[in-house]
Amino acid sequence: MTRDFHQCLADLRERWKDHQLELQAESPDGTLRSYYLKNPSTRRMNSCLIVFTVEGIVIMGDWCPGNTHANDGVISCCGYGEGWFSGTLSGDYLCSKFLRKHWQPAQGYDALRRRIVEARRGDAITREVARDAFDSVFDEERETLSPHRAYEIFSKAGLDDFDMGHGYDPHAAALLCAIQERFAACKAAMAVLV
């Protein structure tokens, strides 16, 4: 996960520290359960609804990750449920069950610089070629580098197999992780009270 992800996650942890879990609905046979994760001082503002079904998990609401718009919501892969979501999960593993990887300009920019340095250190390219490649990279904006341009710079340096730069949107990934961490903490606290 990137520096942007970690900063966003730290901010979200702070913002969500007072959010509580409220059981919203449960089917008689227990196969469907939903919870609001919300700040007790608001009705539903800045909250999310987490629905556990026999097939997977749905997260929607004001504060939820989405691949296009902030409140589209996400649906997990099949086979994941409340017990799994209540556990300790790594960010990358959690994200792999809900989000898709896309070209991330900043990640591509950083990966391109790193690969040029590695190629130079390994004597795969000359100092002049590395300098030209670095100049080309620095001419680009970190936040807007296109995958086509990254590949073009990499290829011009005589390198191949540039496959880096795809990842999870840092904000969506951080939001998903913050929701899961807070949910797990609240579930653990509920279990202690029982």
Side-chain angles (χ1 to χ4, degrees), residues 68-80:
T68 55
H69 301 290
N71 61 357
D72 281 350
V74 290
I75 301 172
S76 73
C77 299
C78 291
Y80 295 90

Side-chain angles (χ1 to χ4, degrees), residues 116-127 159:
I116 292 168
V117 168
E118 289 168 1
R120 176 65 196 124
R121 283 186 183 147
D123 289 329
I125 59 176
T126 66
R127 176 178 283 152
L159 302 169

